[in-house]
Amino acid sequence: MTHPPATPLPHHTVDGPEDAPPLLLGPSLGASLAVWDPQLPSLARHHRVIRWDLPGHGGTPIGVLGDHGPAPTTTVPGLARLVLGLADSLGVDRFAYAGISLGGAVGAWLAAHHPERIASLALICSSARFGEPAGWQDRAALVREAGLGPIAEAAASRWFTPAFAGSPQATALLDAVRRSVAPAGYAACCDALAAFDLRADLARITAPTLVVAGLADPATPPAHARELADGIADAGLLELSGAAHLANVERPAPVLAALLDHLAAHPDNGPVATAVGTPAPHPAEGTAQ
């Protein structure tokens, strides 16, 4: 008889060979795991790719956050615990991780606080601090009161450059905001972004790290990526022209190439022996422009 897990798990998909090195992919706020569709076929050739949905996004019910009444909330550490629970349920002890925006913040927190679990890290259009908390608190309040309509209308200008916003790929993702994101889940994730500040802990990250920025990203401008790259020892930085916040959707080929190179250069070589808070050197990847 199969028993349900003690802790609810986020909705997820698994692609690629079962015995391949595991790679977890985290999504951005407002998007489902489908945001990784452009990279999935190539990544799944040589990795066991595990994609997961945020609470109230895609197939993950808001109930994974527990009983918090009519206005559930969460934090980045809370989301990270969901990811670790998912990995444990799949028998995955150590894994490569790549995440977009909030999904990247989850990976960065894991790399800083559970370095033994993270073999390598890629942060795409992410940040150590996503601006002033008040802006996220206001957005959470707006969504709880008025739903996702106002947010969905504004998403195109944050996610994509004007030249790409009318493309079929962009339209599909924007339509999915209304169709597959629950206001309560979106608002809870805004709470997580409001409280997140990893700037003081970046030096704790010892996993080989790639940082990717969209030069036209208004949500996490390139300065956020540079702060990550400067704070994480030997991190590589790729800045992409013609890309806003969802750079992996707008510029799928260079993001995929950077990910494949990063993963190939840093295979999992076993458990981390370095104590948290004492960064160990790892080979520099250099800076790609």
Side-chain angles (χ1 to χ4, degrees):
M1 179 177 178
T2 301
H3 296 279
T7 302
L9 298 176
H11 171 254
H12 59 281
T13 61
V14 182
D15 296 273
E18 187 173 348
D19 59 350
L23 168 63
L24 268 69
L25 300 179
S28 62
L29 175 68
S32 74
L33 54 78
V35 73
W36 282 105
D37 282 354
Q39 286 75 39
L40 178 64
S42 293
L43 291 175
R45 289 194 186 105
H46 302 291
H47 292 84
R48 184 186 181 197
V49 179
I50 301 160
R51 297 182 293 167
W52 59 278
D53 278 328
L54 292 161
H57 291 61
T60 300
I62 191 66
V64 298
L65 298 179
D67 184 10
H68 293 285
T73 188
T74 191
T75 62
V76 169
L79 295 173
R81 285 190 287 272
L82 288 175
V83 170
L84 289 181
L86 172 60
D88 290 345
S89 75
L90 296 172
V92 174
D93 180 52
R94 187 168 154 84
F95 49 89
Y97 186 97
I100 307 162
S101 192
L102 175 55
V106 171
W109 190 91
L110 284 170
H113 294 276
H114 293 276
E116 75 283 356
R117 303 298 297 266
I118 304 298
S120 67
L121 179 66
L123 306 174
I124 298 172
C125 298
S126 194
S127 183
R129 182 175 183 264
F130 292 82
E132 293 296 327
W136 293 107
Q137 292 161 355
D138 290 346
R139 192 188 294 193
L142 173 64
V143 169
R144 288 178 173 124
E145 179 180 349
L148 284 166
I151 298 301
E153 291 297 328
S157 62
R158 292 193 304 271
W159 283 1
F160 307 113
T161 64
F164 191 80
S167 68
Q169 300 96 318
T171 300
L173 286 170
L174 292 166
D175 288 346
V177 175
R178 295 184 180 88
R179 188 178 65 252
S180 64
V181 179
Y186 188 99
C189 290
C190 288
D191 294 336
L193 289 165
F196 182 69
D197 189 346
L198 200 67
R199 291 175 294 178
D201 290 335
L202 291 178
R204 296 164 62 115
I205 297 176
T206 59
T209 300
L210 168 69
V211 181
V212 177
L215 286 174
D217 183 359
T220 51
H224 290 234
R226 293 166 194 153
E227 183 176 44
L228 288 169
D230 288 343
I232 301 171
D234 298 325
L237 174 63
L238 172 65
E239 296 181 338
L240 291 173
S241 61
H245 194 51
L246 295 188
N248 74 300
V249 176
E250 193 159 4
R251 298 291 311 278
V255 171
L256 174 62
L259 283 173
L260 291 174
D261 287 348
H262 180 66
L263 291 165
H266 301 289
D268 185 2
N269 291 318
V272 172
T274 306
V276 173
T278 310
H282 55 72
E285 294 179 37
T287 300
Q289 299 291 346

